[in-house]
């Protein structure tokens, strides 16, 4: 329970930070909106209409109250409500994230667990070195390498384009393949490392030595004795690694021109569309906090001693 | 971090470094030298258009081919090293200094100061780093000082947490009690008693943080929100030349390779540091 409380407190601090970071914007929002040639009266009128003359904390409270009621404000750039801009794109991003999770979790866990079982073998070393390699290169490099490999040299997939008309399953597969593959790499590397570490730690416990001494076979050792005890740490690892999706998704949506909220946010940053940025940032922070809190809760539930 | 680097059995001294670590060290030093001396090493000026073709291939004249305007990639990467390495090092120094000093102060003084600092920095830590960067850039625009401050703010909590955890252990030692009884000031305590005992692991941790900073900086530049033209770090170089991907142009491959070579070698170096440096204090 206290963990949930901490998450809520953190969310409040984060929203505070997001609001005031964007409120730091040099220049006056009303002036920016109306352009250089606006009369002072028009600027003053708009300032009043937008409540810009209120003190910052009133605007902050009003903004939070709006968020709670699903009113995200109006985009500066094209005067449409932020909610309508985000709606469809949010679903797109969730689709991408969901697909990646569906692919990467089984993939990473099987690699991580098998690497732990055969630890010290060449197989384990290859997996370990590969994951370090992937963790230490930027996401966009993985994306460009995937494009170079699959689109340029092998010519299996279209490069750098997200087709809006998806007519068949085949089209969908082609369109999603590259972003999902890239994200899977980014997320899996972390997950493999963490799940491997979790299983290795259990394998080092005295009761596993006992099981080994009484003559249990290797698969039985891992599946019956080690895995049940490593489940908590593994679930924790999965939730934590999925929070790396956020960083990855920002790059991947940009590079593949994928119509999701991360792309929307990057575009909003270049046009300085504050309400849009604030809302996107809050959505991302919320998702991130949800995942990390979930990871903590799973870890606590699986270990009564915590 | 990993067990790829089991300490070599023949190691006579605890300060011996193995081959992989040595290679890492060499590459890191190489980029350091390039960053420092780039203007004297480049064969062509960064802005000069030397190739009539764009996305030219590797040739004897242009080692890494030419970019989307026909400029020499080799020179641009060498100069890009200045921005990537330079900004990251400055940001790391700032983050490391504030994080470690605050961490040691928190550990030594304990009580409410410790609690407030830890809570505050934990909250800061729970904002995804790329998102934080995006919001700041949106708010104040992107310039090199802004980037440095943002990056150091983002990575201060991590350095704080690590230094505090180590310092808390040292804080329980007898010599700390003695120093307290002597009536030493807090600055003497953290500078003369704690710091020497946690320095090794803390520096190793900073090395890993350097990798994160380089990655985040490159990521932001890649999104067009980091280093702004006419300057270009490695991330910006990839962005500029992303149009060359369909042709498999060297202009987009080499800056990526440069980033990868730097970050991977730092990781290798840290993983293979002599255990004497890396674990000092951790086992105390």
């Amino acid at each position: 329970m206290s963990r949930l409380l901490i998450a809520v407190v953190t969310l409040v601090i984060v929203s505070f930070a997001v609001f005031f970071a964007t409120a730091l914007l040099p220049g006056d929002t009303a002036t920016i909106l109306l352009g250089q040639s606006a009369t002072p009266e028009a600027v003053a009128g708009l300032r009043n209409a937008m409540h810009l003359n209120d003190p910052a904390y009133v605007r902050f409270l009003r903004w939070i109250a709006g968020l709670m009621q699903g009113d995200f404000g109006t985009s500066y750039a094209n005067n449409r409500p932020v909610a309508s801009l985000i709606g469809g794109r949010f679903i797109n991003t969730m689709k991408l994230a969901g697909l990646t999770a569906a692919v990467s979790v089984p993939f990473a866990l099987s690699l991580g667990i098998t690497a732990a079982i055969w630890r010290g073998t060449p197989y384990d070393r290859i997996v370990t070195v590969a994951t370090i390699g992937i963790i230490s290169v930027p996401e966009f490099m993985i994306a460009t390498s995937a494009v170079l490999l699959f689109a340029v040299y092998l010519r299996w997939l279209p490069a750098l384009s997200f087709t809006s008309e998806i007519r068949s399953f085949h089209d969908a597969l082609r369109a999603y393949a590259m972003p999902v593959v890239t994200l899977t790499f980014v997320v899996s590397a972390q997950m493999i490392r963490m799940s491997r570490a979790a299983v290795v730690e259990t394998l080092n416990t005295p009761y596993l030595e006992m099981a080994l001494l009484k003559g249990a076979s290797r698969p039985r050792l891992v599946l019956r004795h080690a895995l049940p005890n490593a489940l908590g740490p593994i679930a924790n690892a999965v939730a934590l690694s999925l929070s790396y999706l956020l960083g990855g998704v920002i790059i991947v949506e940009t590079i593949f021109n994928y119509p999701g909220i991360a792309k929307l946010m990057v575009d909003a940053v270049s046009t300085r569309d504050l309400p849009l940025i604030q809302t996107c940032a809050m959505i991302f922070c919320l998702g991130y906090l949800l995942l990390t809190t979930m990871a903590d809760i799973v870890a606590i539930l699986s270990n009564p001693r915590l | 971090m990993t067990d790829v680097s089991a300490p070599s059995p023949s190691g006579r001294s605890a300060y011996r470094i193995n081959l992989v670590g040595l290679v890492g060290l060499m590459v890191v030093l190489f980029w350091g030298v390039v960053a420092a001396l780039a203007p004297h090493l480049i064969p062509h000026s960064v802005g000069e258009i030397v190739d009539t073709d764009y996305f030219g291939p590797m040739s004897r004249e242009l080692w890494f081919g030419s970019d989307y305007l026909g400029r020499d990639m080799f020179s641009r990467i060498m100069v890009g090293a200045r921005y990537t390495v330079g900004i990251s090092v400055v940001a790391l120094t700032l983050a490391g200094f504030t994080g470690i000093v605050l961490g040691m102060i928190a550990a030594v003084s304990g009580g409410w100061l410790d609690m407030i600092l830890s809570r505050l920095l934990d909250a800061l830590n729970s904002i995804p780093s790329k998102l934080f960067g995006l919001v700041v850039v949106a708010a104040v625009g992107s310039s090199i000082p802004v980037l440095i401050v943002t990056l150091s703010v983002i990575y201060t909590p991590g350095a704080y947490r690590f230094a505090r955890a180590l310092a808390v252990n040292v804080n329980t030692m007898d010599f700390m009690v003695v120093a307290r009884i002597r009536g030493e000031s807090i600055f003497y305590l953290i500078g003369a008693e704690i710091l020497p005992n946690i320095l090794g692991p803390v520096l190793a941790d900073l090395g890993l943080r350097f990798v994160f900073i380089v990655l985040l900086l490159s990521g932001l530049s890649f999104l067009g929100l980091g280093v702004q033209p006419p300057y270009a770090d490695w991330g910006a170089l990839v962005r500029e030349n992303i149009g060359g991907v369909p042709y498999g142009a060297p202009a987009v491959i080499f800056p990526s390779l440069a980033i990868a070579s730097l970050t991977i070698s730092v990781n290798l170096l840290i993983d293979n540091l002599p255990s004497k440096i890396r674990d000092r204090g951790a086992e105390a």
Side-chain angles (χ1 to χ4, degrees):
Chain A
M1 273 329 273
S2 68
R3 195 58 199 83
L4 281 179
L5 197 71
I6 293 177
V8 172
V9 172
T10 313
L11 190 63
V12 172
I13 299 180
V14 167
S15 58
F16 217 66
V18 167
F19 183 80
F20 284 101
T22 44
L24 280 177
L25 180 82
D28 178 49
T29 317
T31 323
I32 295 171
L33 279 183
L34 293 176
Q36 292 293 334
S37 56
T39 60
E41 292 79 26
V43 172
L46 189 68
R47 283 183 69 89
N48 260 328
M50 291 176 71
H51 306 288
L52 284 179
N53 290 324
D54 296 345
Y57 69 93
V58 174
R59 280 183 288 147
F60 175 67
L61 289 179
R62 188 176 285 126
W63 177 62
I64 292 284
L67 282 188
M68 298 279 188
Q69 295 160 10
D71 171 18
F72 303 125
T74 311
S75 159
Y76 289 169
N78 51 14
N79 258 326
R80 286 173 54 197
V82 169
S84 79
L85 286 173
I86 287 181
R89 283 169 167 257
F90 181 70
I91 295 168
N92 279 341
T93 297
M94 290 313 285
K95 261 192 218 160
L96 185 60
L99 263 176
T100 308
V103 175
S104 63
V105 171
F107 171 72
L109 287 190
S110 47
L111 273 182
I113 293 171
T114 46
I117 296 176
W118 292 297
R119 115 188 92 131
T121 61
Y123 169 75
D124 176 35
R125 291 201 166 200
I126 291 172
V127 171
T128 311
V129 169
T131 51
I132 296 185
I134 289 174
I135 288 175
S136 37
V137 301
E139 292 99 346
F140 63 78
M141 183 172 170
I142 299 170
T144 41
S145 320
V147 172
L148 278 176
L149 182 64
F150 293 118
V152 179
Y153 295 129
L154 297 174
R155 296 181 187 285
W156 288 350
L157 297 163
L160 297 187
S161 63
F162 191 85
T163 45
S164 50
E165 64 260 30
I166 292 174
R167 286 186 218 85
S168 63
F169 178 70
H170 183 235
D171 280 354
L173 199 65
R174 283 171 66 91
Y176 276 102
M178 209 88 87
V180 170
V181 164
T182 309
L183 278 177
T184 301
F185 267 107
V186 174
V187 179
S188 298
Q190 291 289 349
M191 222 184 290
I192 291 171
R193 268 176 84 104
M194 287 162 144
S195 56
R196 180 184 174 281
V199 176
V200 163
E201 198 166 308
T202 342
L203 283 176
N204 285 336
T205 50
Y207 59 82
L208 263 147
E209 205 173 330
M210 173 67 207
L212 183 70
L213 289 177
K214 83 177 185 201
S217 69
R218 192 122 207 190
R220 187 183 157 83
L221 202 63
V222 170
L223 294 179
R224 288 228 16 142
H225 295 268
L227 261 192
N229 286 296
L231 269 188
I234 289 179
N236 180 31
V238 168
L240 268 188
S241 318
L242 285 181
S243 66
Y244 281 84
L245 263 178
L246 291 171
V249 105
I250 294 179
I251 299 280
V252 165
E253 287 191 0
T254 311
I255 205 171
F256 295 108
N257 226 349
Y258 183 90
I261 35 175
K263 176 90 172 72
L264 188 68
M265 180 169 170
V266 172
D267 293 345
V269 170
S270 33
T271 55
R272 292 192 154 191
D273 192 342
L274 291 183
L276 200 50
I277 297 169
Q278 287 169 341
T279 314
C280 291
M282 288 309 291
I283 291 177
F284 275 115
C285 286
L286 194 64
Y288 185 78
L289 271 176
L290 270 179
L291 283 170
T292 47
T293 311
M294 215 152 70
D296 279 358
I297 290 176
V298 165
I300 292 170
L301 285 183
S302 70
N303 188 349
R305 277 166 298 184
L306 277 180
Chain B
M1 292 297 294
T2 58
D3 46 13
V4 184
S5 58
S8 80
S10 63
R12 286 182 303 265
S13 146
Y15 283 105
R16 262 175 67 103
I17 188 167
N18 63 13
L19 188 67
V20 183
L22 207 60
V23 172
L25 181 67
M26 299 300 282
V27 176
V28 174
L29 284 181
F30 167 74
W31 282 124
V33 170
V34 168
L37 302 177
H40 307 288
L41 297 175
I42 52 173
H44 302 278
S45 150
V46 266
E48 188 190 351
I49 295 177
V50 288
D51 194 356
T52 48
D53 207 5
Y54 53 92
F55 293 134
M58 287 183 270
S59 63
R60 184 169 299 176
E61 176 63 19
L62 305 171
W63 287 3
F64 289 174
S66 59
D67 76 349
Y68 72 116
L69 290 176
R71 294 176 294 193
D72 177 32
M73 254 344 262
F74 183 69
S75 312
R76 288 183 72 76
I77 289 179
M78 303 261 277
V79 174
R82 303 204 103 179
Y83 298 103
T84 299
V85 177
I87 293 176
S88 307
V89 166
V90 177
L92 178 75
T93 316
L94 277 177
F97 183 76
T98 30
I100 292 168
V101 169
L102 286 180
M104 289 191 300
I105 290 179
V108 170
S109 50
W112 58 268
L113 184 66
D114 182 20
M115 212 181 76
I116 292 179
L117 270 178
S118 298
R119 276 278 139 266
L120 210 67
L121 288 168
D122 269 356
L124 196 59
N125 208 14
S126 67
I127 306 178
S129 53
K130 259 201 203 80
L131 201 67
F132 191 91
L134 283 183
V135 171
V136 172
V137 169
V140 291
S142 187
S143 63
I144 289 178
V146 167
L147 281 174
I148 290 177
V149 172
T150 312
L151 289 170
S152 56
V153 168
I154 291 175
Y155 289 103
T156 299
Y160 166 83
R161 209 182 233 194
F162 191 80
R164 184 186 164 277
L166 289 174
V168 163
N169 285 338
V170 179
N171 198 29
T172 59
M173 296 285 179
D174 290 341
F175 60 80
M176 287 299 294
V177 179
V178 174
R180 280 218 175 83
I181 295 174
R182 282 206 310 267
E184 303 288 1
S185 74
I186 189 162
F187 297 103
Y188 176 85
L189 286 180
I190 63 172
E193 305 282 2
I194 303 244
L195 189 60
N197 285 297
I198 63 171
L199 197 59
V202 158
L203 286 183
D205 175 67
L206 283 187
L208 293 182
R209 242 157 266 290
F210 177 75
V211 172
F212 296 140
I213 293 184
V214 170
L215 291 183
L216 180 59
L217 173 66
S218 311
L220 283 178
S221 291
F222 177 77
L223 293 173
L225 306 168
V227 179
Q228 300 295 319
Y231 312 112
D233 68 338
W234 290 338
L237 286 177
V238 177
R239 174 190 173 78
E240 284 178 353
N241 296 307
I242 195 74
V245 166
Y247 321 110
V252 62
I253 297 172
F254 279 107
S256 313
L257 282 183
I259 300 172
S261 71
L262 178 64
T263 51
I264 292 179
S265 359
V266 173
N267 263 339
L268 289 178
L269 175 63
I270 304 284
D271 270 357
N272 293 294
L273 273 182
S275 55
K276 186 109 182 196
I277 298 178
R278 193 154 51 118
D279 302 331
R280 204 170 136 202
E283 62 217 317

